[in-house]
Amino acid sequence: QVQLVESGGGLVQPGGSLRLSCKASGSDVGTMGWYRQAPGKRRELVAIVTRIGSTNYGDSVKGRFIVSRDNAENTVYLQMNSLKPEDTAVYYCNAIGEAPGLRGYLFWGLGTQVTVSS
């Protein structure tokens, strides 16, 4: 009942910036955020943000990435700055269901590729 569609991924040079977007549709969602997974590695937290704006960042991106959201549009954004090759991964949007019957249910997008390379 909830679909998450990421956009904004692509190729960027080290030190560059990129902005990801994720639009939720179907039903309202609560906490939203981003996780990433590189080949051979486990999926890790990038950033999450609650409906009231509280945020949490993974240690590897803290100080470089900023997560924000538009509650009216059920959209979460990830501004990525000072990108490093180590940031290369598939970035997955995540959201927790808020509508009756979906509360607490975890939803995932299909992912968008971010490649940081010279």
Side-chain angles (χ1 to χ4, degrees), residues 53-97:
S54 298
T55 60
N56 190 30
Y57 294 90
D59 290 339
S60 62
V61 306
K62 192 173 184 178
R64 298 187 298 122
F65 293 6
I66 301 174
V67 64
S68 61
R69 67 185 295 160
D70 184 338
N71 288 335
E73 297 294 331
N74 282 335
T75 299
V76 63
Y77 306 93
L78 183 68
Q79 178 66 46
M80 303 183 292
N81 302 313
S82 301
L83 283 163
K84 305 174 181 179
E86 295 76 29
D87 295 317
T88 296
V90 176
Y91 284 69
Y92 296 92
C93 181
N94 167 264
I96 300 175

Side-chain angles (χ1 to χ4, degrees), residues 6-77:
E6 304 99 334
S7 62
L11 175 65
V12 64
Q13 294 185 342
S17 297
L18 207 61
R19 185 172 184 254
L20 305 182
S21 299
C22 174
K23 170 72 174 180
S25 61
S27 298
D28 289 338
V29 296
T31 299
M32 301 182 72
W34 298 90
Y35 290 73
R36 69 185 183 186
Q37 186 168 25
K41 296 185 177 181
R42 296 178 178 179
R43 188 170 298 186
E44 65 173 348
L45 169 70
V46 177
I48 58 173
V49 57
T50 70
R51 287 187 59 85
I52 62 172
S54 298
T55 60
N56 190 30
Y57 294 90
D59 290 339
S60 62
V61 306
K62 192 173 184 178
R64 298 187 298 122
F65 293 6
I66 301 174
V67 64
S68 61
R69 67 185 295 160
D70 184 338
N71 288 335
E73 297 294 331
N74 282 335
T75 299
V76 63
Y77 306 93

Side-chain angles (χ1 to χ4, degrees), residues 95-117:
I96 300 175
E98 188 73 15
L102 298 176
R103 292 179 180 177
Y105 197 89
L106 201 63
F107 297 93
W108 294 92
L110 295 179
T112 184
Q113 177 71 48
V114 172
T115 301
V116 184
S117 176

